[in-house]
Amino acid sequence: VLILEDDPGFHEIWQNKLAMSNLKLEHFYSAVDLIAMYSSLPERTLLLSDYETMDQGTNGIETILKLKAAPHSILVTARSEEVGIKNRCLENDIR
């Protein structure tokens, strides 16, 4: 499971939530860093991505689309009910 989030506190929350699972977590604070190594990850890797701008003016949806990772991604954001964000996710099959 990949966690893409710029706030260290949310990384800690995910770490605690998934601590009892057998899942391997990889933490990313930057979309650039994730993109650089994404192709070397196993195909079944799940990406949990925040929406908020991370770096280079991108957001979680743009990062997911750039990686062509929509089938294996979940956008995790408090802004999930915003019409524009919801529509972009629906249009691109992002959960």
Side-chain angles (χ1 to χ4, degrees), residues 23-48:
L23 300 172
K24 180 181 177 195
L25 301 181
E26 297 257 355
H27 297 271
F28 292 89
Y29 297 84
S30 160
V32 171
D33 293 342
L34 172 61
I35 290 166
M37 74 160 304
Y38 188 79
S39 65
S40 67
L41 297 170
E43 187 176 318
R44 294 183 56 209
T45 300
L46 175 65
L47 171 59
L48 303 176

Side-chain angles (χ1 to χ4, degrees):
V1 176
L2 307 176
I3 314 278
L4 179 58
E5 168 66 60
D6 59 347
D7 183 334
F10 284 105
H11 283 276
E12 187 175 328
I13 290 169
W14 282 114
Q15 185 73 39
N16 292 337
K17 282 186 173 288
L18 299 173
M20 299 304 283
S21 73
N22 290 329
L23 300 172
K24 180 181 177 195
L25 301 181
E26 297 257 355
H27 297 271
F28 292 89
Y29 297 84
S30 160
V32 171
D33 293 342
L34 172 61
I35 290 166
M37 74 160 304
Y38 188 79
S39 65
S40 67
L41 297 170
E43 187 176 318
R44 294 183 56 209
T45 300
L46 175 65
L47 171 59
L48 303 176
S49 178
D50 184 27
Y51 173 79
E52 300 301 323
T53 301
M54 291 168 208
D55 43 20
Q56 295 186 354
T58 192
N59 61 51
I61 293 173
E62 297 302 324
T63 301
I64 291 167
L65 294 176
K66 184 171 188 160
L67 294 170
K68 298 180 179 151
H72 307 288
S73 298
I74 301 172
L75 188 71
V76 182
T77 179
R79 297 177 59 186
S80 62
E81 292 303 315
E82 290 182 27
V83 174
I85 292 172
K86 190 180 247 184
N87 287 343
R88 290 229 35 228
C89 288
L90 289 171
E91 291 165 3
N92 293 287
D93 296 322
I94 298 171
R95 294 176 279 161

